[in-house]
Amino acid sequence: MAQGHKFQDLEETGEALVAFINSSQPDTLRQVKAEHRALFDRHTETRRIVTQILKDVVQVEEDAGQRLLDMEEEKHRRDKELRSMEEQLNKLTAKSQITDSEIQFLQKELESLKCSESELETLQNEVDEDTTEVIPSAVHVAQLYYLITKIKWEYDTQPNILKGVHYGAELATPIHIDTTTRSRIDVSDQLWGFVCSQW
């Protein structure tokens, strides 16, 4: 029944169209045909323009997508470079700290050496003074002592032992005194006895 109703509508529409064509003037038909043609041409042009716009939009989207990919790749590359630079900076900072520690150690060593050098200079001055003043004076005193007492001492003995030889007028007498068992006065008296015996 629904098909019959559709067919009846189609038949009525066809009859109305035939009646319209029969009742129309050829000029009116030409005008409608021209308007229809102009509408079709405008539709075709609009379709062409819309198609070109869509193609341009797709191209812009592709270009933007490619630029976005390039920028993402550049960002990744720069992030990698930044990480590498941070690692190098950390290594150089650690090396710098080690170098600073070494410099501080070397500065302390240098200061210690300067102090040692100063002490050595002081000792050298004392040694120079000893060799130019004290030792010649001591040698002179020892020679004078020998000339007066005629006692020649041995210097390679133990600290508490006095050893030497007294050269008297006719006899050389050995001296061997242990200072740990005798007082200084006893030692002096004994030595004075050697000296007096030659006069």
Side-chain angles (χ1 to χ4, degrees), residues 158-172:
Q158 296 176 2
N160 60 337
I161 302 294
L162 292 175
K163 277 179 97 174
V165 177
H166 176 258
Y167 294 97
E170 300 173 6
L171 181 65

Side-chain angles (χ1 to χ4, degrees), residues 128-138:
D128 289 345
E129 183 181 332
D130 287 348
T131 56
T132 57
E133 296 174 14
V134 175
I135 292 176
S137 175

Side-chain angles (χ1 to χ4, degrees), residues 61-72:
E61 287 177 349
E62 285 178 359
D63 291 346
Q66 186 61 45
R67 280 197 304 269
L68 183 63
L69 287 174
D70 292 344
M71 288 170 65
E72 196 66 35

Side-chain angles (χ1 to χ4, degrees), residues 52-70:
Q52 186 59 43
I53 289 171
L54 290 174
K55 285 181 181 177
D56 291 346
V57 166
V58 168
Q59 186 62 43
V60 167
E61 287 177 349
E62 285 178 359
D63 291 346
Q66 186 61 45
R67 280 197 304 269
L68 183 63
L69 287 174
D70 292 344

